[in-house]
Amino acid sequence: MADETIDGASLLARSLKAQGVEYMFGIVGIPVIELAMAAQAAGIKYIGMRNEQAASYAASAIGYLTGKPAVCLVVSGPGLIHAIAGIANAAENCWPLIVVGGSSEADQEGMGAFQETPQVELCRPYCKFTARPNRLERLPFYVEKAVRHSIYGRPGPCYIDLAGNMVTERVDVKDVRPDVTCQSPPKTLAEPDRIKEAIDLLHYAEKPLVIIGKGAAYARAEDSVREFVETNGFPFLPTPMGKGVLPDDHELCVSPARSKALQEADVILLLGARLNWILHFGLPPRFNPKVKVIMVDILAEEMNNNVQNAVSLVGHLDAVVSQLNERINKIPGRFVFNRKSPWWKTLDGKVKQNQVAVQGMIDDKSEPLNYYAAYEEIRQLLPRDYIIISEGANTMDISRTMVPNFLPRHRLDAGTYGTMGVGLGFATAAGIWCRDHTPGNQVVSIQGDSAFGFSGMEIETICRYKLPVIMIIINNGGIYTGLPEDTWSSIQDMDLTLSSPPTSLIPAARYEKMIEAFGGKGYCARTTEQIKAAFTEALQNKQQVSLINIIISPMAQRKTQDFDWLTKSKM
């Protein structure tokens, strides 16, 4: 009896399945068609996308939502190069991701093979681990190692390069290295002495502040963070994707006073947030020059980056916050920060002041609408358990104020890399996850019209798989700002390459008509009443993919304020 054999495609699929991989996103072609088919045969769900960038964004979003990597499958050369956008985005956001790229056949290297590209070298700067297996028998070894690297320590992307000839090549099963299942990462603890130092600093702080980053969301630390914040009465400020670890309407949330909170806090506890551009590097004038920073992070090398920490707590965030809770619970006569303190009075006053300023823009229903009036109708109807995808310039920034989050890992946006084009890839991933794990929930993807253009054809993907996604386009006819319709009409006889501002797109474009080609439902809204009617119908009709095109003023801007997440002002 002949020895049993297995081909490379089936072996890869079996190895991925053994590591708990559930999803694969990609675009097939030579030489990876067989890989996608083998993945499906092994029980891995394959989602065919329309662009490799969107596929890589989608796979990385699964990594964030679940804590386990998904696979992005791409063809050689240009396919892999397109996917580098998502690889780099995953690296910056610290999300697990496995990219599998087909490549030229091993015996044709250096000969000018079809789409021959130095793919391993291209991926190496953005990946924690890269490999080009030289023997099919060792493929399970490389798969386990890639999965392990992607989730251990600070998460990130990994790349496996598979020569075209290895996809169909067969080997004896008895010669294949056995599957070794990657174990869950250990939950490392911080040094006990450092825990005591952190508690002492917070105990004597006059103006404490807790900043909650997306690292806290990824670590599933919502319960320990809630206990720490609530039992001690500390004001907290979430970063954009830290929103929802504690709900935005929590009484201790000071997001509307974030400028004042950052500028005056004397002790800041950073929970899974880095002092990069999103937090102005922790430097004056955005921060108090005498602030003492307590940093909690899984990566030791992140400590003291840009600012010398008063206390560095290296470890798994949920485990470290649990240590903080345990230590503070032992203090006789438990300390609770006084809600009537001068610090709380300052913050509460600033919160009310900013809320009044925003309310004036919400109440302005004049047409064409401003961002705030449009968002208010969405906010009023949005269920608390929906996943929010937000992308764009003003569209995304203003949504952070106007569209609240109440649950962890329920907000995805441009993130640390500030990447435009992620929206519909993220929406596809979130839609697949909701369909499989939280039936009945929907995803609301809010994009500017410029952001939608980066990956607009993924609406076909979302419709093809019948995903529970409502797409909303905040359409101002441009990047940051556009041109009014009458002004656009007046320049049509000119050379638009010279007369149209670089920020302009076609004003009031009817994007909702695109989705009708794929069986979805499109709406166009110019008034608050039309927004309410369209969104109400879209929420009720969960069996149909919807797109709501909201036409707003091309000159609409964000509220003038002395603080923004960006270091430099926009145009």
Side-chain angles (χ1 to χ4, degrees):
M1 180 177 177
D3 289 333
E4 183 184 359
T5 63
I6 188 170
D7 63 77
S10 299
L11 181 56
L12 177 72
R14 190 188 78 177
S15 301
L16 291 170
K17 185 69 174 178
Q19 303 305 329
V21 171
E22 187 175 0
Y23 298 104
M24 176 183 285
F25 299 80
I27 298 178
V28 297
I30 298 171
V32 301
I33 297 174
E34 293 86 353
L35 292 176
M37 296 174 69
Q40 289 180 315
I44 296 172
K45 297 181 180 181
Y46 175 80
I47 301 92
M49 307 289 285
R50 301 302 297 268
N51 181 281
E52 288 92 356
Q53 288 187 19
S56 59
Y57 296 144
S60 68
I62 288 290
Y64 175 63
L65 292 170
T66 68
K68 300 187 299 182
V71 170
C72 175
L73 178 69
V74 296
V75 299
S76 52
L80 184 276
I81 290 170
H82 291 166
I84 287 177
I87 296 173
N89 190 66
E92 287 296 310
N93 281 315
C94 310
W95 293 350
L97 168 68
I98 305 296
V99 176
V100 175
S103 62
S104 52
E105 298 191 6
D107 61 356
Q108 297 175 355
E109 285 188 16
M111 298 175 65
F114 175 67
Q115 295 184 335
E116 184 175 1
T117 306
Q119 296 177 183
V120 174
E121 290 84 350
L122 285 172
C123 292
R124 187 168 288 129
Y126 308 103
C127 289
K128 294 182 67 180
F129 172 73
T130 59
R132 179 175 168 85
N134 59 357
R135 290 176 56 224
L136 203 53
E137 293 89 341
R138 300 190 71 221
L139 200 51
F141 164 80
Y142 288 106
V143 169
E144 188 277 335
K145 192 167 185 178
V147 170
R148 177 160 38 89
H149 276 70
S150 76
I151 61 176
Y152 274 47
R154 174 173 282 178
C158 295
Y159 175 66
I160 296 175
D161 193 78
L162 199 62
N165 57 288
M166 295 182 71
V167 174
T168 55
E169 179 183 326
R170 303 189 73 88
V171 295
D172 290 338
V173 172
K174 65 179 177 58
D175 294 331
V176 173
R177 186 182 180 114
D179 289 312
V180 176
T181 304
C182 176
Q183 301 299 309
S184 298
K187 288 192 173 184
T188 53
L189 299 174
E191 299 172 78
D193 289 347
R194 303 290 86 77
I195 292 290
K196 180 181 183 302
E197 290 175 16
I199 294 300
D200 288 344
L201 265 182
L202 288 164
H203 186 87
Y204 294 105
E206 295 181 358
K207 297 180 177 181
L209 177 67
V210 177
I211 297 179
I212 302 173
K214 67 175 175 290
Y218 180 85
R220 283 158 171 72
E222 51 267 23
D223 291 340
S224 59
V225 171
R226 177 186 286 274
E227 178 184 349
F228 183 81
V229 169
E230 290 183 346
T231 57
N232 297 292
F234 291 135
F236 74 90
L237 172 66
T239 63
M241 272 192 277
K243 285 162 60 70
V245 173
L246 295 183
D248 283 344
D249 60 355
H250 195 287
E251 63 175 359
L252 300 177
C253 179
V254 293
S255 287
R258 57 185 179 266
S259 177
K260 179 67 71 174
L262 290 180
Q263 289 174 340
E264 295 191 16
D266 60 356
V267 176
I268 290 179
L269 174 63
L270 277 177
L271 299 179
R274 292 168 283 175
L275 292 176
N276 53 23
W277 67 274
I278 291 181
L279 287 173
H280 314 290
F281 314 106
L283 299 174
R286 302 293 192 180
F287 280 67
N288 180 346
K290 296 182 179 180
V291 67
K292 292 180 173 62
V293 174
I294 304 166
M295 187 175 198
V296 183
D297 200 280
I298 192 71
L299 186 69
E301 288 83 352
E302 187 63 41
M303 300 300 168
N304 305 308
N305 192 28
N306 298 322
V307 172
Q308 184 74 36
N309 295 343
V311 182
S312 297
L313 300 176
V314 181
H316 186 279
L317 195 134
D318 184 45
V320 173
V321 177
S322 296
Q323 284 181 279
L324 292 170
N325 286 328
E326 183 180 358
R327 178 76 191 191
I328 212 164
N329 287 340
K330 294 179 179 178
I331 298 176
R334 169 191 290 280
F335 166 78
V336 178
F337 192 71
N338 190 351
R339 191 62 197 258
K340 296 181 180 180
S341 68
W343 179 226
W344 262 118
K345 289 180 180 179
T346 297
L347 294 173
D348 285 339
K350 192 64 176 178
V351 166
K352 292 176 183 177
Q353 179 184 340
N354 285 340
Q355 287 174 337
V356 168
V358 170
Q359 190 61 48
M361 302 187 74
I362 292 173
D363 294 338
D364 179 7
K365 309 292 187 184
S366 60
E367 301 171 31
L369 295 172
N370 67 66
Y371 285 98
Y372 295 87
Y375 272 130
E376 177 64 7
E377 299 304 318
I378 298 170
R379 186 189 68 81
Q380 293 275 5
L381 295 169
L382 192 67
R384 292 177 71 91
D385 57 357
Y386 278 30
I387 294 179
I388 306 298
I389 315 294
S390 185
E391 180 191 11
N394 292 336
T395 299
M396 178 177 64
D397 294 341
I398 296 172
S399 78
R400 290 168 177 164
T401 299
M402 291 299 299
V403 182
N405 284 88
F406 306 104
L407 295 172
R409 299 169 297 283
H410 275 54
R411 181 183 179 87
L412 292 155
D413 66 19
T416 308
Y417 219 23
T419 308
M420 292 296 102
V422 297
L424 292 186
F426 283 178
T428 301
I432 286 284
W433 186 84
C434 279
R435 187 196 68 183
D436 292 349
H437 297 280
T438 57
N441 277 18
Q442 285 176 288
V443 176
V444 176
S445 171
I446 305 173
Q447 296 178 280
D449 50 329
S450 171
F452 174 78
F454 281 84
S455 55
M457 275 304 295
E458 298 303 336
I459 63 173
E460 187 274 335
T461 307
I462 292 170
C463 288
R464 183 174 6 122
Y465 291 105
K466 300 180 177 64
L467 301 183
V469 176
I470 299 172
M471 288 164 274
I472 298 175
I473 298 176
I474 306 294
N475 185 354
N476 72 339
I479 303 169
Y480 304 124
T481 58
L483 288 178
E485 292 177 66
D486 56 352
T487 303
W488 179 257
S489 297
S490 70
I491 64 172
Q492 291 307 294
D493 293 333
M494 304 179 188
D495 184 344
L496 294 180
T497 63
L498 297 173
S499 60
S500 174
T503 60
S504 295
L505 303 172
I506 293 177
R510 300 296 298 273
Y511 295 106
E512 79 282 357
K513 293 185 177 294
M514 293 176 62
I515 200 169
E516 296 172 3
F518 308 115
K521 175 70 173 179
Y523 306 85
C524 183
R526 291 178 179 265
T527 68
T528 54
E529 292 80 7
Q530 290 170 345
I531 295 171
K532 182 176 181 179
F535 196 37
T536 298
E537 184 175 322
L539 289 169
Q540 292 172 346
N541 192 357
K542 295 185 178 183
Q543 303 306 311
Q544 188 169 45
V545 181
S546 302
L547 189 154
I548 305 172
N549 183 22
I550 301 177
I551 311 295
I552 68 167
S553 169
M555 307 310 292
Q557 294 284 347
R558 65 163 58 86
K559 176 179 71 70
T560 300
Q561 57 184 10
D562 60 355
F563 177 90
D564 189 66
W565 287 110
L566 298 178
T567 302
K568 296 181 180 179
S569 63
K570 294 190 177 80
M571 294 169 58

